[in-house]
Amino acid sequence: MKGYRYPAHWLMVILVVFALLATQCAPSSTPTPEAQATPTAASTETGAPVVEQQLTPTVAATLEVSQQVITQVVEESEAAKAREPQKGITVVSDEDVTTPRTKRGGEYKDVATSDAVSFHPYLTTDTASSSYQGMVYTGGLLRLDENTLQYIPNMAEQYSISEDGLTFTFHLRKGMLWSDGQPITARDFEWTYQQVINPANEFPYLSQLEFIKSYKALDDYTLEIKIDKVYCPSLGQMSGLITPLPKHVWEKLPWNDPDKNPEMNKPSVVSGPYKLVEWKRDQYAVFEANENYWYHGAPNISRYVIEIVPDQDVAYQKMKTGESDTGPITPDKLKEARQLPNITVYEWWPAAALWSYIGLNMRSGFPTHDLHVRRGLSYAIDKDLLTQEVMQGQAKRLCSVYPETSWVYNPDVPCYDYDPEKAIAEFQQAGYTFQDGKMVDQNGKQLRLKLLFGPNTSKTRELIAVTVQDYLRRIGVETDIQAMEWSAYLEALHSNEPDWDMYIGAWQATIEPHIMYTIWAEENIPQLNSVAYINKEVEKLFEEAGSNCDVEFRKERYQKIQRIIAEDAPYIFLFYNKSWSGQNKRIKGIIPTALGIGWNMEDWYIEESPTP
């Protein structure tokens, strides 16, 4: 039985926008799984769709999408029950992971408009970095089956849960090797875990490991993990959050100093399907197949090259002409891409949808600290237009933290449909006055807000930004737009003293709803909770939902969370979108599922056209 083999982080938090807005629609670099366990900032992106005024989806298409979503939610609700940890069980894999692949050879050419930040799996949160890390490091004691979305053995060939549900024992597969031929053992897992939980090492998702009481290697191939109390998402988090690093290499090096630790940017000993050959920052990265890869040996495609290009238009043209095997397809290009003779466009509604939003700075001293300002901004923007026209029918409105594809989705929350009069009324409650076409404060000064987006190569994000600017101007609010290079944008979002009022962002939803707690927790300000949202009732509800494994109880708690967050309006919720990816027809073995297309990427192979 196969399933997605989690790369460096299977917990991906996506912080940026319409990169993801269209990223999900068209991954422009290594396809990422649609069933991540947590969030990561994304750098993959697409170009700028042309807004055509009469372009809306047909009734038939809308009904088809709705039926897909309804069916998926029903299936996912049943799968959720199966994913809850069962007490007193043992699960053993009968999967053969040793048979080598037989269609090896060739080079896959990729393009991206933003480069990775680092190969360090525990210091980054962006998708570009995670995609690189996923090439060279493998992780996941367990994985999600691509069809059932249930946990199955991965690097562990067997696991058991004690009768009281508090002790988890994992037996690793023997024969797994690092690229230098040394065995991958439970000692690597334990050593990595100990570095990760050290607060000084600043792992962004450290809070997701706090439920673990002890994490020990009983011998080279046995891990024992104990928890204090029943915690429903435990199985997925403990098996997916730790990607082992080679202890025999890393223990001699500093954890977070790239000048003294070359493994951070030039990993030499790896566990993933590929090894790094060369990385020239902001130009290209070259990978070659890892002959010691534990899962069926080296991947079919022997060489993988990622070229960094100036913008999405250049990337799309490279795919169109065959210079690249893939590339971003923006919504306005989708129809054309479907008709390209050399390209197959794969499309799917993901199990974990990508949803887009505008983050509002809730810190004291900023206009958006005021609840009525936040609600007024949301009323002032036509989210339906952004959903239908920018995404051209390939997305659906979103009103709170979980999209309709989630089994905990709550349809009964404030949605702030476009209403300029309500927007002005909310601003008036915040002490502003709308006069002479301007929204002014008590001193007669017009309200000006700063809106960030990144990377600055994204024309789609630029289009969203100027559209928002136009709508806010209609209620007398001026907006200063700042487009930023990717790393600078992330730095601005994660600053302890931010100077922005709004930013455009997106998150990858998670199949396990509890993981979304990370973006609302006070302790995760500013790394994940960039808007500095604080609500202790929300945190309490998350805690209750994680400690009771009754599916209906959990659903009720998560639905309360959705209503509270919608009422507090820390985000302007926009939409969640369909996924699609263009791939050259010479690339075979691609099988779209609810996990996307990247889940079996090691099995893809190249079928060259016969010579005339």
Side-chain angles (χ1 to χ4, degrees), residues 343-365:
I343 297 297
T344 298
V345 178
Y346 298 90
E347 305 179 50
W348 65 97
W349 283 93
L354 182 85
W355 53 271
S356 298
Y357 67 94
I358 298 171
L360 305 176
N361 194 337
M362 298 184 64
R363 295 167 178 83
S364 178

Side-chain angles (χ1 to χ4, degrees), residues 326-610:
T326 188
I329 305 172
T330 54
D332 64 301
K333 292 286 201 304
L334 184 56
K335 182 177 180 180
E336 177 189 81
R338 287 171 176 152
Q339 299 172 351
L340 293 175
N342 63 325
I343 297 297
T344 298
V345 178
Y346 298 90
E347 305 179 50
W348 65 97
W349 283 93
L354 182 85
W355 53 271
S356 298
Y357 67 94
I358 298 171
L360 305 176
N361 194 337
M362 298 184 64
R363 295 167 178 83
S364 178
F366 288 83
T368 45
H369 174 73
D370 191 291
L371 172 62
H372 295 294
V373 169
R374 298 196 300 274
R375 289 177 175 174
L377 291 171
S378 196
Y379 278 125
I381 298 169
D382 190 343
K383 280 82 69 179
D384 286 312
L385 179 136
L386 293 177
T387 302
Q388 302 301 341
E389 306 300 344
V390 173
M391 291 304 295
Q392 302 204 5
Q394 304 302 311
K396 297 189 72 176
R397 272 292 306 279
L398 179 80
C399 299
S400 191
V401 61
Y402 297 111
E404 194 176 354
T405 53
S406 172
W407 60 275
V408 301
Y409 168 71
N410 184 358
D412 185 24
V413 302
C415 211
Y416 306 101
D417 292 331
Y418 177 56
D419 192 327
E421 292 184 3
K422 286 185 179 180
I424 292 171
E426 290 285 352
F427 274 98
Q428 288 175 339
Q429 291 192 62
Y432 292 88
T433 303
F434 185 60
Q435 62 182 36
D436 301 324
K438 296 181 179 180
M439 190 67 69
V440 298
D441 62 17
Q442 295 177 347
N443 298 317
K445 183 179 179 180
Q446 185 177 16
L447 179 61
R448 298 188 73 93
L449 301 176
K450 183 176 181 181
L451 171 65
L452 304 185
F453 76 84
N456 52 11
T457 54
S458 173
K459 295 180 181 178
T460 298
R461 278 161 258 181
E462 180 181 2
L463 175 60
I464 297 297
V466 297
T467 302
V468 169
Q469 182 184 54
D470 177 64
Y471 274 111
L472 296 187
R473 184 175 289 131
R474 298 180 191 184
I475 62 164
V477 177
E478 285 299 319
T479 307
D480 297 322
I481 297 172
Q482 184 173 354
M484 307 181 74
E485 180 270 333
W486 179 246
S487 59
Y489 170 78
L490 294 179
E491 185 177 348
L493 292 190
H494 301 158
S495 172
N496 287 314
E497 297 182 358
D499 66 349
W500 47 266
D501 301 288
M502 306 181 290
Y503 70 90
I504 303 173
W507 289 106
Q508 185 82 50
T510 56
I511 290 180
E512 167 51 60
H514 195 79
I515 311 301
M516 297 309 292
Y517 169 70
T518 56
I519 67 176
W520 306 114
E522 181 178 3
E523 64 186 357
N524 289 335
I525 299 172
Q527 188 68 20
L528 300 177
N529 185 354
S530 298
V531 298
Y533 176 73
I534 301 174
N535 188 311
K536 291 306 177 183
E537 183 180 1
V538 166
E539 294 193 21
K540 181 175 182 291
L541 288 168
F542 267 114
E543 182 179 353
E544 292 174 354
S547 60
N548 187 320
C549 294
D550 179 81
V551 170
E552 291 306 315
F553 176 89
R554 299 186 71 204
K555 182 176 182 179
E556 184 266 341
R557 292 302 191 271
Y558 293 124
Q559 291 195 334
K560 282 186 178 179
I561 289 168
Q562 291 168 72
R563 170 165 283 280
I564 294 171
I565 290 176
E567 291 171 348
D568 288 345
Y571 290 173
I572 299 174
F573 292 94
L574 299 177
F575 51 78
Y576 69 93
N577 49 276
K578 189 179 182 181
S579 296
W580 61 82
S581 178
Q583 299 289 331
N584 193 290
K585 290 184 177 178
R586 76 191 192 107
I587 308 301
K588 305 297 183 181
I590 299 175
I591 305 173
T593 73
L595 294 182
I597 63 171
W599 67 272
N600 74 330
M601 195 170 170
E602 299 136 21
D603 295 330
W604 295 6
Y605 62 95
I606 295 175
E607 184 179 85
E608 299 289 0
S609 300

Side-chain angles (χ1 to χ4, degrees), residues 309-320:
V309 298
D311 56 51
Q312 297 96 323
D313 289 339
V314 172
Y316 178 76
Q317 288 302 317
K318 281 182 173 288
M319 179 185 71
K320 186 176 178 179

